[in-house]
Amino acid sequence: MLIFYGHPFSSYTWKVLIALYEKGIEFDYRSVDPAFPDHMPELKAYWPVGQFPLLVHDGVPWFETSIIIEYLDHLAPEPRMIPLDFDAALKVRLFDRIFDHHVMNRMQEVVNDALRGPENHLPIIVEQTHARLDIIYAWLDKELAGGGWATPYGFTLADCAAAPSLFYADWVYQIPEAYENLRAYRARLLAHPTVSRCVEEARPYRPYFPLGAPDRD
């Protein structure tokens, strides 16, 4: 049995959960929510940095979401999250990095600013993040003009990264109506069964969101 450490409201936890659910792999889900105080010390015994999610298989820890999902492809090859073809795999990995670095991590900068409290608020961080998100939103809108998933290779690692990225980024800086392709892609992601499952499992934790969770999702 795989052991999986994460939190239902965590964007990067979602990324791996979606892959686990897509593959139908059984696992022992150990939430690191404060309601389960024993789980974070367990995680840190494997990975002292304390970041999650983390997967443990046969006593070996695997961390960093893209690496975990690649390992899941090794354990359960179907459905593949990373294509075997080199060019296809490169495209999928490219979009995975774009969603992680240019959407998810940008969004987190605004969340971190809110967590610091109003006395330590830095408006320039929010302004810069909104500007950078607008640039990547515009780029993604053009890339996704054909509809479907992030790449032409079915539901992949790229979409596992895109779902939590766009879910929370839209809460931080709502995708403008002009970006119809991107908005439609986000809607397709949220309607996908494995993504919808993550959304519902996280719903009880919405009060954790420091900016206030909108009612639209």
Side-chain angles (χ1 to χ4, degrees), residues 10-169:
S10 153
S11 55
Y12 278 112
T13 296
W14 283 25
K15 180 179 170 182
V16 177
L17 278 177
I18 291 166
L20 285 164
Y21 293 156
E22 286 287 319
K23 292 175 176 292
I25 299 174
E26 293 186 6
F27 61 97
D28 178 0
Y29 190 169
R30 299 187 185 179
S31 172
V32 296
D33 189 80
F36 306 95
D38 294 338
H39 291 168
M40 181 55 80
E42 289 178 17
L43 182 155
K44 287 184 175 180
Y46 289 110
W47 180 220
V49 171
Q51 289 181 323
F52 53 88
L54 181 139
L55 185 78
V56 180
H57 184 213
D58 290 339
V60 178
W62 299 92
F63 36 90
E64 298 299 332
T65 54
S66 301
I67 298 299
I68 295 173
I69 292 173
E70 187 156 2
Y71 185 69
L72 294 178
D73 261 0
H74 168 71
L75 292 180
E78 296 298 333
R80 291 203 67 83
M81 297 291 102
I82 303 172
L84 289 173
D85 176 79
F86 175 80
D87 290 334
L90 201 62
K91 180 84 168 181
V92 166
R93 288 191 173 99
L94 171 65
F95 272 78
D96 169 59
R97 305 311 329 107
I98 288 168
F99 283 115
D100 275 7
H101 290 298
H102 296 280
V103 183
M104 190 111 72
N105 290 354
R106 295 297 186 200
M107 170 275 298
Q108 191 62 48
E109 290 176 6
V110 177
V111 173
N112 290 341
D113 182 72
L115 288 171
R116 284 194 293 269
E119 66 279 4
N120 295 309
H121 173 55
L122 296 173
I124 191 171
I125 289 179
V126 177
E127 294 166 7
Q128 289 178 343
T129 299
H130 287 183
R132 289 166 177 166
L133 283 175
D134 201 47
I135 291 170
I136 199 63
Y137 285 171
W139 186 86
L140 287 168
D141 190 69
K142 292 178 182 178
E143 291 292 316
L144 297 166
W149 299 122
T151 70
Y153 310 109
F155 192 93
T156 66
L157 166 69
D159 304 288
C160 294
S165 298
L166 293 173
F167 180 82
Y168 285 112

Side-chain angles (χ1 to χ4, degrees), residues 8-9 14 196 198-207 214-215 217:
F9 201 59
W14 283 25
S196 176
C198 288
V199 172
E200 293 307 313
E201 289 174 348
R203 197 171 292 277
Y205 299 95
R206 290 192 175 192
D215 296 329
D217 295 316

Side-chain angles (χ1 to χ4, degrees), residues 170-199:
D170 190 62
W171 283 13
V172 165
Y173 177 58
Q174 191 168 4
I175 301 169
E177 292 185 6
Y179 302 141
E180 295 179 359
N181 298 322
L182 183 57
R183 289 168 65 92
Y185 173 58
R186 183 179 185 271
R188 286 193 298 276
L189 285 169
L190 296 190
H192 191 64
T194 53
V195 178
S196 176
R197 180 176 175 181
C198 288
V199 172

